[in-house]
Amino acid sequence: MDGELRAFRHLYVHIPFCKHKCGYCDFNAYAGMDRMIPEYLDALEKELVFARERYPFQQLDTVYLGGGTPSLLGAEEATRLLTFIRRTFNVAPDAEVTLEANPASTDEAKIAAWMDGGVNRLSLGVQGFDRRALAVLERRTDAAQATQAFGLARAAGMSNVSIDLIYAVPYQTMDTWRETLRRAVALEPDHISTYCLSFEEGTLLYRRRAEGKVPEVETDLQWDQLDAACDVLEEAGYHRYEVSNWSRPGFESRHNRAYWRCRPVYGAGAGAHSYATNGERAWRWWNVARPREYDAASPSTRADGEELDPRKTLAETLMLGLRTAEGVIAPRGFEEELGRLQRAGLVRRTDGRVVPTRRGMDLHNQIAMAVL
Ligand code: SF4
């Protein structure tokens, strides 16, 4: 890497363990390996020290524990990891510290440990409240667990809670999706992410669909469900600030915003990706994915990486910026592409920025195809 890298102010830490592998999931997550957690934490600590010595870090503005299922760590393990991060890095007093939790592995003792360790934002993987949709997704959590976990977090004083929902799930009707949205809003979370189910090759759900065991979802229904989400969530006071994310004012995810703004993010843990830049050139690298191999490799956990070519770097900045309502200052060299997108009603220009229209947010894949 040439030139001085811009300092990292955002840290992602990956916990790759899950109780059970959900049928639709293609994340770097593994079931039945919880016994490896202490060893994995050893490896993670070694990588974090190595990273701090090797790369420039400033005061951290965000820390994000994602997975997999970070809530699978026992309360003491979570305390150990959070304390280690604070000792190793200078975490800003007002940093956003997020932990992803599965309702089934969330309890009072763990919430207390997370909050003592500085976690101030909880991202609860609810995914839905409708039993049939959860069964198709092979989620082993139900609406009661999700509601209970949410209540426990609020009772403990967690003031920033986000929930995830999935739509375009086979057998999910407009009515069941509307009911899911209604129940989500009734909890009064600060942030809601809605993801359109994708059938990723290699997942159990992909195979089941190929074998005709689950039906296709009609495209019209998918669009109607997205429309319903926009209507219900906006009416309830949530602002769609990114293609799949809604928040109350001031509760936008600062960590995810760092990705959309192409800020340097250091990713630690199995399979985690990092992005670095010196302002002119940019690099991306990723860690060994399998936990056992990651443990053996630590602290040299990097599997591979690449320098992004300059045009691709600018294209990514544009494409990611156009995922967000704030848009982006258009880099030079994309006038033709942006002109076409503007004529198609997908973007507009305002105050020197280019921003996506509502249609552009809904059809962001067309923007991505045009600029990448
Ligand atoms: S809990 Fe999340 S990361 Fe784990 S298998 Fe299910 S969807 Fe994947």
Side-chain angles (χ1 to χ4, degrees), residues 261-333:
R261 290 180 177 171
C262 288
R263 300 284 193 263
V265 178
Y266 188 87
H273 285 230
S274 297
Y275 176 84
T277 177
N278 63 5
E280 286 167 12
R281 301 167 62 190
W283 294 266
R284 180 178 298 131
W285 66 88
W286 48 92
N287 280 346
V288 176
R290 294 185 174 278
R292 244 182 258 290
E293 289 162 25
Y294 169 83
D295 289 358
S298 185
S300 298
T301 52
R302 179 174 163 149
D304 207 351
E306 59 180 351
E307 177 174 355
L308 301 177
D309 82 59
R311 169 92 187 168
K312 193 170 164 194
T313 306
L314 291 177
E316 284 204 3
T317 309
L318 181 57
M319 184 275 286
L320 289 170
L322 286 172
R323 289 190 66 91
T324 64
E326 68 178 8
V328 63
I329 296 174
R332 280 207 208 132

Side-chain angles (χ1 to χ4, degrees), residues 43-284:
L44 205 44
E45 290 177 357
K46 279 199 262 170
E47 185 197 347
L48 289 170
V49 170
F50 184 71
R52 189 204 53 199
E53 284 165 4
R54 186 173 179 155
Y55 300 108
F57 280 87
Q58 267 177 11
Q59 195 175 52
L60 294 181
D61 183 43
T62 68
V63 177
Y64 194 105
L65 270 57
T69 310
S71 57
L72 216 52
L73 300 186
E76 283 173 20
E77 290 163 336
T79 300
R80 169 183 164 182
L81 178 58
L82 289 161
T83 308
F84 189 84
I85 291 171
R86 283 192 178 272
R87 276 209 209 111
T88 310
F89 298 93
N90 176 5
V91 180
D94 67 341
E96 175 191 272
V97 183
T98 305
L99 183 139
E100 283 182 354
N102 187 316
S105 50
T106 297
D107 60 33
E108 277 165 312
K110 287 185 188 174
I111 295 173
W114 302 336
M115 293 182 72
D116 284 348
V119 171
N120 52 22
R121 182 171 186 270
L122 194 66
S123 175
L124 264 187
V126 171
Q127 316 307 358
F129 295 98
D130 158 30
R131 195 177 302 166
R132 194 151 192 207
L134 289 171
V136 173
L137 297 172
E138 299 198 25
R139 294 285 297 182
R140 296 246 174 108
T141 52
D142 59 26
Q145 278 173 324
T147 308
Q148 196 201 6
F150 190 93
L152 288 177
R154 283 297 200 218
M158 187 73 78
S159 59
N160 187 348
V161 185
S162 174
I163 63 175
D164 290 0
L165 301 174
I166 300 187
Y167 66 97
V169 180
Y171 302 115
Q172 194 181 41
T173 63
M174 274 309 283
D175 283 347
T176 58
W177 173 237
R178 278 189 178 282
E179 175 62 10
T180 292
L181 290 165
R182 192 195 63 72
R183 292 184 69 168
V185 164
L187 289 175
E188 301 186 2
D190 307 289
H191 185 281
I192 300 179
S193 303
T194 60
Y195 299 110
C196 181
L197 178 65
S198 58
F199 291 79
E200 302 295 339
E201 215 172 327
T203 62
L204 191 60
L205 190 59
Y206 182 92
R207 275 207 304 283
R208 294 188 66 216
R209 186 179 66 169
E211 290 163 1
K213 291 182 179 154
V214 291
E216 303 278 345
V217 176
E218 283 173 30
T219 315
D220 282 355
L221 179 61
Q222 187 175 314
W223 290 118
D224 289 346
Q225 290 183 334
L226 176 57
D227 268 346
C230 291
D231 292 348
V232 173
L233 299 181
E234 270 159 29
E235 194 176 323
Y238 296 90
H239 164 58
R240 188 185 189 188
Y241 71 100
E242 195 267 350
V243 169
S244 312
N245 288 285
W246 276 261
S247 83
R248 293 179 191 274
F251 287 92
E252 296 84 4
S253 161
R254 282 158 57 187
H255 186 80
N256 287 337
R257 202 165 56 192
Y259 290 112
W260 301 319
R261 290 180 177 171
C262 288
R263 300 284 193 263
V265 178
Y266 188 87
H273 285 230
S274 297
Y275 176 84
T277 177
N278 63 5
E280 286 167 12
R281 301 167 62 190
W283 294 266
R284 180 178 298 131

